[in-house]
Amino acid sequence: MKLRHYTNSKESAISIINSQQLWLGKTGQALKDEDEINHYMKIFRLAHALDEIQRLLGHNVPFNSRLSLYETYILGISQSYFIKKNQFMIGDVFSEIIRNESYIICFTNEDESNFHDSKYGPVSFVFKDSPLREDLYNNFKFLQSEITYIESDSFSTLESELNSFYENVLSPFLEIIHNEDFNKHYIKITQLIKEKLDKSNQKSERRKISKHLNKLIQKTSSDTERFNDIVKEFFTTHPLSKDKVSQIVDYLEKRVNNVREEKILSTFKEQDARNHRVQRTFSKVPREGHLVNLSSCFVKDVRDEDDKETRIIALPSSIDENLQENKLKVDLDMSLLEKVIISHEIEDHEEAIEEIKAALQGIGLDIVEVE
């Protein structure tokens, strides 16, 4: 598949030719919309929260023999609420990792240049395929895919219904949750339940939770179904290298879990944090969650559909990799360069063509067309 990369000036184009490199920008800084990596992750993080609640309430026995089933449900839901409220969810941390620890470059497969000239720059390189010399960068894995475009605003029901569920189920405990640190709110919620509710009342309250859950599932079913379809369609129509994906997910599984755990435990007192760290209370994130999140790196809103974007993301395969640089300089296979297109909007168009041709001749690419 031919890929087209735009640059913002004649000088930049000549620099690319002379260096035979493209610079991938740090994802959180390279995207024109700095929140772009977050706006679609929001959907994924909410889907994770819903799935987490369903898994929790699907258990018919308490996780802790000293707690009743109702206490188990309330404490589990309060933990989910605490994590969502403080942006400690898988998707929150994943998004941060992607922004700060990956590099990105964008191409388009769109032949018509008028739209892209005005948005991305007046000079473009047309390659027969991805020109990135990935083989020279063993410490990074490069994932390439066309972007899937979705109507992200249409998932608004998911957040509102999830918030409504938390408020309805946790309403007697919200003051405690908001005003106490995590360990204290656990203790005080348990005490309040034991003081206010006998076994019969707890059973009745448990039924109410089930009703709220059924309502939540019912009202978000279309959102959930569309979300699952997006993920399924992505992996069906945009096959990624299984070997690369496996290695990247290995990295993300360790990195996201560790960062997330430390973020959560930073809100605890030292002794409490130590106990939770030993018990790995907050580190058990299912591997498939990271795989699903990986697909979100190639999702954008339909408002950007005209971009016809193909995105390449470079992720480190080791947490020991030095990621301080804001740019990743990647060598190019210039034999894949088919032509260079210069917009007529550029100043001194004919002179620019001659300068680009001279630069190409300087690296032995006389046969590359310049127009």
Side-chain angles (χ1 to χ4, degrees):
M1 179 180 69
K2 291 183 181 180
L3 294 176
R4 190 168 178 175
H5 179 72
Y6 287 78
T7 190
N8 58 14
S9 68
K10 172 192 69 178
E11 291 73 20
S12 175
I14 291 172
S15 176
I16 289 170
I17 293 167
N18 290 338
S19 67
Q20 300 182 54
Q21 287 183 332
L22 280 175
W23 291 13
L24 280 64
K26 188 71 72 69
T27 300
Q29 299 172 15
L31 296 174
K32 293 183 183 298
D33 174 4
E34 66 177 21
D35 291 325
E36 184 181 307
I37 202 72
N38 289 328
H39 88 243
Y40 49 78
M41 275 304 309
K42 181 179 179 182
I43 300 166
F44 284 71
R45 65 191 282 273
L46 294 172
H48 281 307
L50 179 58
D51 185 54
E52 185 179 89
I53 290 169
Q54 287 184 256
R55 283 205 314 270
L56 169 70
L57 301 185
H59 288 269
N60 294 316
V61 293
F63 302 120
N64 186 329
S65 58
R66 291 175 296 177
L67 299 175
S68 68
L69 191 55
Y70 176 68
E71 288 172 311
T72 299
Y73 285 174
I74 291 296
L75 293 177
I77 295 167
S78 71
Q79 176 177 313
S80 173
Y81 177 77
F82 163 81
I83 287 172
K84 178 179 180 294
K85 181 170 72 77
N86 289 285
Q87 297 188 323
F88 296 148
M89 294 172 67
I90 307 169
D92 296 314
V93 180
F94 177 92
S95 178
E96 179 183 328
I97 297 295
I98 293 295
R99 284 175 61 84
N100 297 325
E101 301 183 13
S102 71
Y103 297 88
I104 189 170
I105 189 166
C106 301
F107 296 85
T108 178
N109 56 0
E110 179 58 56
D111 290 332
E112 295 298 325
S113 63
N114 291 341
F115 167 77
H116 294 95
D117 287 354
S118 60
K119 187 171 183 181
Y120 294 117
V123 184
S124 60
F125 294 82
V126 179
F127 297 96
K128 298 170 188 173
D129 203 342
S130 169
L132 304 184
R133 290 289 309 276
E134 300 177 20
D135 56 307
L136 301 179
Y137 303 87
N138 294 328
N139 294 331
F140 287 88
K141 301 301 174 188
F142 293 73
L143 287 185
Q144 173 182 331
S145 179
E146 294 178 49
I147 291 295
T148 295
Y149 296 94
I150 65 171
E151 293 183 8
S152 55
D153 290 343
S154 67
F155 286 87
S156 57
T157 304
L158 194 56
E159 179 156 38
S160 62
E161 290 301 328
L162 194 56
N163 288 337
S164 178
F165 172 82
Y166 284 127
E167 288 171 11
N168 288 327
V169 172
L170 296 175
S171 57
F173 313 104
L174 286 176
E175 187 175 347
I176 294 173
I177 294 171
H178 288 154
N179 296 325
E180 301 289 352
D181 67 42
F182 191 72
N183 266 12
K184 283 185 180 177
H185 98 225
Y186 251 46
I187 295 168
K188 290 198 171 187
I189 285 174
T190 306
Q191 288 175 341
L192 184 62
I193 290 172
K194 292 187 186 304
E195 289 171 7
K196 300 291 185 181
L197 301 171
D198 58 23
K199 287 185 178 180
S200 176
N201 287 330
Q202 287 189 30
K203 190 173 182 179
S204 174
E205 291 299 316
R206 215 168 62 229
R207 289 197 195 99
K208 290 181 183 177
I209 292 177
S210 295
K211 287 181 180 178
H212 287 305
L213 176 63
N214 289 336
K215 180 182 176 184
L216 173 64
I217 293 171
Q218 194 173 38
K219 291 206 169 185
T220 59
S221 60
S222 60
D223 280 5
T224 305
E225 188 175 335
R226 277 187 294 119
F227 171 79
N228 290 331
D229 286 344
I230 288 168
V231 174
K232 183 178 178 181
E233 181 183 358
F234 175 82
F235 283 109
T236 302
T237 59
H238 302 83
L240 301 173
S241 164
K242 289 184 179 179
D243 180 54
K244 285 184 184 178
V245 167
S246 177
Q247 292 180 61
I248 290 172
V249 171
D250 285 344
Y251 164 76
L252 289 173
E253 188 171 23
K254 294 173 186 174
R255 184 72 177 133
V256 174
N257 289 0
N258 289 341
V259 171
R260 178 174 176 269
E261 181 182 48
E262 288 308 312
K263 278 179 171 290
I264 294 172
L265 295 183
S266 69
T267 67
F268 287 67
K269 291 180 180 176
E270 187 176 339
Q271 182 59 49
D272 295 330
R274 190 179 299 118
N275 292 338
H276 283 292
R277 192 174 283 108
V278 169
Q279 296 170 21
R280 306 306 304 273
T281 311
F282 301 101
S283 65
K284 300 162 186 173
V285 179
R287 181 180 174 85
E288 59 269 20
H290 301 299
L291 181 61
V292 168
N293 280 341
L294 195 58
S295 67
S296 76
C297 294
F298 301 97
V299 174
K300 287 178 68 175
D301 193 84
V302 289
R303 66 188 178 191
D304 298 316
E305 195 167 12
D306 285 342
D307 286 3
K308 306 293 184 189
E309 181 184 334
T310 290
R311 179 176 287 178
I312 298 178
I313 295 181
L315 280 159
S317 54
S318 167
I319 59 175
D320 297 324
E321 186 64 33
N322 183 354
L323 300 167
Q324 299 305 310
E325 296 294 331
N326 290 329
K327 301 287 184 182
L328 179 65
K329 300 175 183 179
V330 180
D331 290 347
L332 300 178
D333 180 353
M334 295 299 282
S335 69
L336 293 172
L337 180 60
E338 189 172 89
K339 63 182 171 181
V340 180
I341 301 174
I342 303 173
S343 169
H344 287 280
E345 299 299 317
I346 202 167
E347 189 176 348
D348 300 322
H349 182 259
E350 293 303 320
E351 182 181 325
I353 288 179
E354 293 307 313
E355 289 186 50
I356 295 289
K357 282 182 176 180
L360 289 167
Q361 288 169 2
I363 61 169
L365 289 180
D366 311 56
I367 61 170
V368 173
E369 182 182 353
V370 182
E371 63 180 48

